[in-house]
Amino acid sequence: MNLRQLRYVVATADHGTMTSAAQALYVAQPALSRAVRELERELGVELFARSGRGVVLTPVGEEVVRQARVALEAVEAIEGLSVAHGNGRGAELRVATPPSLEPELTGGLLPRFARDRPAVRVRVVRCRGREAVTAVLRSGRADLAVADLPVPGDLIAHPLEEREVVLVSPPGLRLREPVPPAALDGLRLIMPARGGASRAELDALLARLGVTPVPALESDERAAWPGWVRAGLGSLVWYRNQIDDTEGLVVRSFGPPVTRMIGLVHAHRQLSPAARDFLNFAKESGRDQH
């Protein structure tokens, strides 16, 4: 028995279906279902019974959930004590990030956290992509990571904010507003260089949309992208919040909107006081912005 299984059981009881529980926790539904079944086998009892399209707790399942809530609350209290008494003295915080989300980290959260917690040594662990992020978390080489959600079931996700993906174009390009994703087919795009993590992320997004644009220019010089769009070399698909200067550009939403949930992720192990402090700081910052 482990805390991950207890969290999954409580979430399933709260949401009524394993699919809804997995969505709330930002984990894959098969991973959640497998963890619940493994716990049932270990305990030798049935925790849930099917009811229509959802599930309901069995009598023994109700007792297990009551005790699981007590256990999880106790764990949170213990972790809170470690943060309260650690005070971050001489602590190190290691946060992993893929290239596309590094501006979220180094341009906002980390500088503000460093000003408030000058005793914490902060190190950014740069990863080539999503798989590398999960690998450094599992191996313990990073305490937390900024990542697109959902994540594999052996990681814990804390959603922070939904980011909109938009089309940035030169003024002369005539397109409907909002832009149907199909309009990207054959459209000239400025894209990250082939073989890099940023290009892999963009290619995955375009594949999900079912479109094949034409690479007009391929480069990882992100600061130069807006200028190339202004010069009419092509359009750009990127996060709205990462476009600092929109003068001379046309920024259009997609219809339906294309969004990605951003969150902090960590492995199923006790966080260090500094990591726990940063996680709480990030959640508070997200609430303040809303």
Side-chain angles (χ1 to χ4, degrees), residues 35-284:
V36 172
R37 288 196 302 269
E38 288 171 354
L39 181 59
E40 288 180 322
R41 281 197 297 269
E42 181 179 345
L43 298 177
V45 298
E46 186 180 38
L47 301 176
F48 296 98
R50 292 217 163 267
S51 174
R53 295 185 178 180
V55 293
V56 295
L57 286 166
T58 62
V60 68
E62 290 180 358
E63 182 58 29
V64 168
V65 167
R66 276 196 293 270
Q67 298 297 338
R69 292 189 196 278
V70 173
L72 293 172
E73 288 172 4
V75 168
E76 285 192 10
I78 292 169
E79 291 177 341
L81 286 173
S82 71
V83 171
H85 293 284
N87 293 325
R89 287 190 293 269
E92 181 182 60
L93 172 66
R94 300 162 301 166
V95 187
T97 178
S100 62
L101 296 180
E102 189 168 342
E104 311 288 333
L105 193 63
T106 58
L109 280 175
L110 281 184
R112 295 198 303 271
F113 180 76
R115 286 195 296 270
D116 286 357
R117 316 292 195 279
V120 179
R121 299 187 303 275
V122 179
R123 182 160 66 90
V124 176
V125 181
R126 293 176 174 85
C127 301
R128 284 183 57 81
R130 184 182 180 86
E131 291 76 15
V133 167
T134 58
V136 298
L137 289 175
R138 288 167 177 157
S139 66
R141 287 177 286 155
D143 306 296
L144 295 162
V146 180
D148 290 319
L149 306 184
V151 293
D154 61 329
L155 301 175
I156 299 176
H158 303 267
L160 293 179
E161 191 168 346
E162 196 169 51
R163 301 298 197 198
E164 184 186 10
V165 178
V166 295
L167 180 67
V168 186
S169 305
L173 186 64
R174 294 193 171 190
L175 289 170
R176 273 168 43 195
E177 178 88 39
V179 181
L184 293 176
D185 251 333
L187 188 69
R188 291 173 56 82
L189 285 189
I190 294 166
M191 306 175 77
R194 295 176 188 269
S198 295
R199 179 58 176 269
E201 291 182 43
L202 178 59
D203 286 344
L205 172 63
L206 296 172
R208 286 197 297 273
L209 296 175
V211 296
T212 306
V214 175
L217 194 153
E218 298 171 298
S219 170
D220 287 329
E221 295 180 46
R222 188 175 305 177
W225 290 348
W228 291 333
V229 174
R230 290 187 186 94
L233 299 182
S235 298
L236 178 67
V237 174
W238 204 239
Y239 291 110
R240 181 184 290 276
N241 72 301
Q242 292 185 12
I243 305 167
D244 297 324
D245 181 9
T246 60
E247 186 177 352
L249 303 173
V250 179
V251 181
R252 297 180 175 93
S253 296
F254 288 100
V258 177
T259 60
R260 302 174 84 174
M261 180 61 75
I262 307 302
L264 284 173
V265 182
H266 59 88
H268 280 269
R269 63 173 69 95
Q270 183 173 340
L271 293 174
S272 68
R276 190 80 181 179
D277 202 14
F278 179 71
L279 179 59
N280 291 332
F281 175 85
K283 289 180 177 179
E284 287 295 329

